[in-house]
Amino acid sequence: MDPRDIDIICKYADIIQIGARNMQNFRLLQEVGKTDKPIVLKRGLSATILDLLMSAEYIASEGNRKIILCERGIRTFETATRNTMDISAAPVLKQLTHLPVIIDPSHGVGKWDLVAPMSKASIAAGADGLIIEVHQSPEDALCDGPQSLKPTKFDVLMKELKKVAEAVGRSM
Amino acid sequence: MDPRDIDIICKYADIIQIGARNMQNFRLLQEVGKTDKPIVLKRGLSATILDLLMSAEYIASEGNRKIILCERGIRTFETATRNTMDISAAPVLKQLTHLPVIIDPSHGVGKWDLVAPMSKASIAAGADGLIIEVHQSPEDALCDGPQSLKPTKFDVLMKELKKVAEAVGRSM
Amino acid sequence: MDPRDIDIICKYADIIQIGARNMQNFRLLQEVGKTDKPIVLKRGLSATILDLLMSAEYIASEGNRKIILCERGIRTFETATRNTMDISAAPVLKQLTHLPVIIDPSHGVGKWDLVAPMSKASIAAGADGLIIEVHQSPEDALCDGPQSLKPTKFDVLMKELKKVAEAVGRSM
Amino acid sequence: MDPRDIDIICKYADIIQIGARNMQNFRLLQEVGKTDKPIVLKRGLSATILDLLMSAEYIASEGNRKIILCERGIRTFETATRNTMDISAAPVLKQLTHLPVIIDPSHGVGKWDLVAPMSKASIAAGADGLIIEVHQSPEDALCDGPQSLKPTKFDVLMKELKKVAEAVGRSM
């Protein structure tokens, strides 16, 4: 994605997502800040929580306050998971800002069989939403197959998440 | 703690805890492996999950299989929290071993007002237990005061955790 | 910098530098790959050496092979320096590619009084060049003042670097 | 190594080395602090420079001031090398303390063909010494073979290091 694509994207998309590798693409942030679309801003692989908020400022400074912050795992020395999910980012961000905070456990751990426990943990920690990758046939996916749930497993997970949400006083 | 202290410790303690900074103190691991006390083995600040399991082997190899693994936060570039809690360690370890896995959110985040959400997240992710620091008067604590809960807050948290545990099919 | 700026930049600049935060701005990499200017590609704050080479491929795939790789420090848990300079990146990259490799000790350590020893270390390790920040009056600099050398100190350093270069069989 | 071994070690060894994994084994540090042997204190895999100095204090507080600090690489996300050598630790430590600072490039990078450039870089940055692993037959080594130099290569390296040392005003 690049500033020249924004007009065509705005014509079709309901939400614009700024990927982790573009979190500090400041010109792009300013351009989406001029639109009136909600923006999902994903935390960079080695961005601190403060860095993420400073990037959100680039969007807000152009007038667009519809910003959704997204934790998706940070880069650490651990190799058992694709990234290390910093779930504490959710309660920390909720203390620092009024913006909604969502979590992407699929990228965070990178393995489908860890997505369910990490989704529950995210909701229990206070996240306002989740991005979960689902694929009809993960083994045939061109990318991110190993972290994708099949629809039936997603269905089960949603029912389980509803219970966790209620346990922490939220509804789904 | 050092191998020379083990006799006196075993006389009074019900459980022996190996702190994060001693996770690769292999001689100490071997010595506690010769006792019949349950051992809480805390993950080192920059230990991988595999490193943690290899350290557990030093205990088990001497005959003591009563090992409780404990995630307590790893060292990353993030400075908003004392450490970065790797909650995914719980489901990953549960896949790799039959040992119980507990989490220490107090050291993990280092701030009392994040202990409640991170405790809930830990239970939701499948942890078998928690270590939570409680102090009558945290502001007077000689160490770890900022991460300690007052008894009344701990009481409230326990009630909330019961609900989360039930939501994921566990009981407390 | 953004793809729309490239024409005007090419009119005036001899070399185009892609900053660390843009190392994975793939559209920008492709655009500069269509020019015939030498490109300095700086390693991202948490980019592996492999990531850096993969980013260089985006430039090369569009036809521009005049790529200069630049190590400028990575993000770690250490706080004594602005970043942790990974000097080993120079010999590792020289083994993996024929591209010239330069090092930026000013950003790498972020403190002017460490720039001289780290510059010498870089040349001794086989780097083909250095980027050193110099400012007439660092205390008045709008940015990066603390890591800038005054011209007289730079002058002394260049003489010292000449000796180190000769000691490892290079000339300046 | 453990406090109970110190008497026998002192009988035969000229220098006691505290390995990286024991850098925060505080009881052991205190015990070696009671001896009059020089102590090589290796930086832990994820110890900050400040952590290293605080560990040195445990030795010094018992009366032994013959402490040699040793950088041997820290744990980061990079996987191209065994560890990431933080060469800046040498000039930083020289600013903060009067203690000698040595570097261990063999463990730092973990690959024999990177030992020569990183040794030169270490001396150029102001290190007071090096630990270099040498083995007659690295392919048969029980451990650390891939990072060991053969004697003939070590011989060549020493001659090259002499030149670098002279270039920065030191002698060997």
Side-chain angles (χ1 to χ4, degrees):
Chain A
M1 184 177 168
D2 129 4
R4 298 168 300 183
D5 305 322
I6 289 178
D7 285 349
I8 182 106
I9 289 172
C10 282
K11 205 165 152 190
Y12 298 101
D14 293 317
I15 294 186
I16 296 176
Q17 175 181 294
I18 304 292
R21 286 168 187 77
N22 276 310
M23 193 202 82
Q24 293 186 316
N25 184 341
F26 301 122
R27 294 288 291 273
L28 181 60
L29 298 176
Q30 289 172 320
E31 291 296 329
V32 300
K34 292 173 189 159
T35 73
D36 63 353
K37 296 283 182 186
I39 311 296
V40 170
L41 179 62
K42 296 189 99 172
R43 182 180 181 181
L45 278 73
S46 67
T48 63
I49 287 173
L50 185 62
D51 291 339
L52 175 60
L53 289 175
M54 291 300 104
S55 283
E57 289 292 328
Y58 276 83
I59 300 171
S61 69
E62 299 293 328
N64 188 347
R65 305 282 170 99
K66 298 180 197 158
I67 304 168
I68 300 163
L69 301 172
C70 181
E71 160 66 26
R72 45 75 74 208
I74 56 173
R75 187 165 263 183
T76 70
F77 59 82
E78 179 59 72
T79 52
T81 44
R82 183 172 173 184
N83 294 289
T84 296
M85 263 181 80
D86 178 11
I87 288 184
S88 69
V92 170
L93 284 166
K94 303 289 280 186
Q95 288 181 345
L96 296 173
T97 168
H98 67 285
L99 297 172
V101 180
I102 65 174
I103 296 187
D104 172 355
S106 305
H107 281 83
V109 289
K111 296 181 175 177
W112 70 267
D113 52 359
L114 296 172
V115 169
M118 298 310 282
S119 295
K120 292 175 200 171
S122 300
I123 294 299
D128 299 303
L130 296 167
I131 299 181
I132 296 174
E133 296 209 53
V134 179
H135 199 283
Q136 277 295 134
S137 169
E139 54 276 20
D140 300 320
L142 295 180
C143 101
D144 294 339
Q147 70 197 38
S148 296
L149 292 187
K150 293 188 183 172
T152 48
K153 286 201 188 298
F154 176 69
D155 207 43
V156 172
L157 176 56
M158 285 304 285
K159 289 188 184 74
E160 294 174 343
L161 286 173
K162 205 168 165 359
K163 288 185 204 165
V164 177
E166 280 161 11
V168 294
R170 308 289 294 265
S171 62
M172 269 176 60
Chain B
M1 185 175 168
D2 128 6
R4 299 168 300 183
D5 306 323
I6 288 177
D7 284 349
I8 183 105
I9 288 172
C10 282
K11 205 164 152 189
Y12 298 102
D14 294 315
I15 294 185
I16 296 177
Q17 176 181 294
I18 304 292
R21 287 168 186 76
N22 276 309
M23 192 202 82
Q24 292 185 316
N25 184 341
F26 302 121
R27 294 288 291 271
L28 182 60
L29 297 177
Q30 288 171 321
E31 291 296 329
V32 300
K34 292 173 190 158
T35 73
D36 63 353
K37 296 285 181 185
I39 311 296
V40 171
L41 179 63
K42 296 188 97 172
R43 181 180 182 182
L45 278 73
S46 66
T48 62
I49 287 173
L50 185 63
D51 290 339
L52 175 61
L53 289 175
M54 291 300 102
S55 283
E57 288 292 329
Y58 276 82
I59 300 171
S61 69
E62 299 293 327
N64 189 347
R65 306 282 171 100
K66 298 180 197 158
I67 305 168
I68 301 164
L69 302 172
C70 181
E71 159 67 26
R72 45 74 75 209
I74 56 174
R75 188 165 262 183
T76 70
F77 59 83
E78 179 60 72
T79 53
T81 44
R82 185 172 172 183
N83 294 289
T84 296
M85 264 181 80
D86 178 10
I87 287 184
S88 69
V92 171
L93 285 166
K94 302 289 282 185
Q95 288 181 344
L96 296 173
T97 168
H98 66 286
L99 297 172
V101 179
I102 64 175
I103 296 189
D104 172 355
S106 305
H107 280 84
V109 288
K111 295 182 175 175
W112 71 266
D113 52 359
L114 297 173
V115 169
M118 297 310 283
S119 296
K120 292 176 201 172
S122 300
I123 294 300
D128 299 303
L130 296 167
I131 299 182
I132 296 175
E133 296 208 53
V134 178
H135 199 283
Q136 277 296 132
S137 168
E139 55 276 20
D140 300 320
L142 294 180
C143 100
D144 293 340
Q147 71 197 39
S148 296
L149 293 187
K150 292 188 183 173
T152 48
K153 286 200 188 297
F154 176 70
D155 208 44
V156 172
L157 175 57
M158 286 304 286
K159 290 189 183 75
E160 294 174 343
L161 286 173
K162 205 167 162 7
K163 288 185 204 166
V164 176
E166 280 161 12
V168 294
R170 308 289 295 264
S171 62
M172 271 176 59
Chain C
M1 184 177 168
D2 126 8
R4 299 168 300 184
D5 306 322
I6 288 177
D7 284 348
I8 182 108
I9 288 172
C10 282
K11 204 164 154 190
Y12 298 102
D14 293 316
I15 294 187
I16 296 177
Q17 176 182 294
I18 303 292
R21 287 168 186 76
N22 276 309
M23 192 203 82
Q24 293 186 317
N25 184 341
F26 302 121
R27 294 288 290 272
L28 181 60
L29 297 176
Q30 289 171 319
E31 292 296 329
V32 299
K34 291 174 190 158
T35 73
D36 63 355
K37 296 284 181 186
I39 311 295
V40 171
L41 179 62
K42 297 189 96 172
R43 180 180 182 183
L45 278 73
S46 68
T48 63
I49 287 173
L50 185 62
D51 290 339
L52 175 61
L53 290 175
M54 292 299 104
S55 283
E57 288 292 329
Y58 277 82
I59 300 171
S61 70
E62 299 292 328
N64 189 345
R65 306 282 171 99
K66 299 180 196 157
I67 304 167
I68 301 164
L69 301 172
C70 181
E71 160 67 26
R72 46 75 73 207
I74 56 173
R75 188 165 262 183
T76 70
F77 59 82
E78 179 59 73
T79 53
T81 44
R82 184 172 172 184
N83 294 290
T84 296
M85 264 181 80
D86 179 11
I87 288 183
S88 69
V92 170
L93 285 167
K94 302 290 279 186
Q95 289 181 345
L96 296 173
T97 168
H98 66 285
L99 297 172
V101 179
I102 64 174
I103 296 188
D104 172 354
S106 305
H107 280 83
V109 288
K111 295 180 175 176
W112 71 266
D113 52 359
L114 297 172
V115 169
M118 297 310 283
S119 296
K120 293 176 199 170
S122 299
I123 295 300
D128 299 303
L130 296 167
I131 300 181
I132 297 175
E133 296 209 53
V134 179
H135 198 283
Q136 277 297 132
S137 168
E139 54 276 18
D140 299 321
L142 294 180
C143 102
D144 293 339
Q147 70 197 38
S148 296
L149 292 187
K150 292 187 183 173
T152 48
K153 286 201 188 296
F154 176 68
D155 207 44
V156 172
L157 175 56
M158 285 304 286
K159 290 189 182 74
E160 294 174 343
L161 286 173
K162 206 168 163 2
K163 289 186 204 165
V164 176
E166 281 161 11
V168 294
R170 308 290 294 265
S171 62
M172 270 177 59
Chain D
M1 184 175 168
D2 126 6
R4 298 167 300 184
D5 306 322
I6 288 177
D7 284 349
I8 182 103
I9 288 171
C10 282
K11 205 164 153 190
Y12 298 102
D14 294 315
I15 294 186
I16 296 177
Q17 176 182 295
I18 304 292
R21 287 168 187 76
N22 276 309
M23 192 202 81
Q24 292 186 316
N25 185 341
F26 302 121
R27 294 287 291 273
L28 181 61
L29 297 177
Q30 288 171 321
E31 291 296 330
V32 300
K34 292 173 189 158
T35 73
D36 63 353
K37 297 283 182 187
I39 311 295
V40 170
L41 179 62
K42 296 188 97 172
R43 181 180 181 182
L45 278 73
S46 67
T48 63
I49 287 174
L50 185 63
D51 290 338
L52 175 60
L53 289 175
M54 291 301 103
S55 283
E57 288 292 329
Y58 277 83
I59 301 171
S61 69
E62 299 293 328
N64 188 346
R65 306 282 170 99
K66 298 180 196 157
I67 304 168
I68 301 164
L69 302 172
C70 181
E71 161 66 26
R72 45 76 73 209
I74 56 174
R75 187 165 262 183
T76 70
F77 59 81
E78 179 60 72
T79 53
T81 44
R82 184 172 173 184
N83 294 289
T84 297
M85 265 182 78
D86 179 10
I87 288 184
S88 69
V92 170
L93 285 166
K94 303 289 280 184
Q95 288 181 345
L96 295 173
T97 168
H98 65 287
L99 297 171
V101 179
I102 65 175
I103 296 188
D104 172 355
S106 305
H107 280 84
V109 287
K111 295 181 175 176
W112 71 266
D113 52 359
L114 297 172
V115 169
M118 296 310 282
S119 295
K120 293 176 199 171
S122 300
I123 295 300
D128 299 304
L130 296 168
I131 299 181
I132 296 174
E133 295 209 54
V134 179
H135 199 283
Q136 277 297 133
S137 169
E139 55 275 20
D140 300 321
L142 294 179
C143 101
D144 294 340
Q147 71 196 40
S148 295
L149 292 187
K150 292 188 183 172
T152 48
K153 287 200 187 298
F154 176 68
D155 207 43
V156 172
L157 175 57
M158 286 304 285
K159 289 189 183 76
E160 294 174 343
L161 285 173
K162 206 167 162 4
K163 288 185 205 166
V164 176
E166 280 162 12
V168 294
R170 308 290 294 265
S171 62
M172 268 178 60

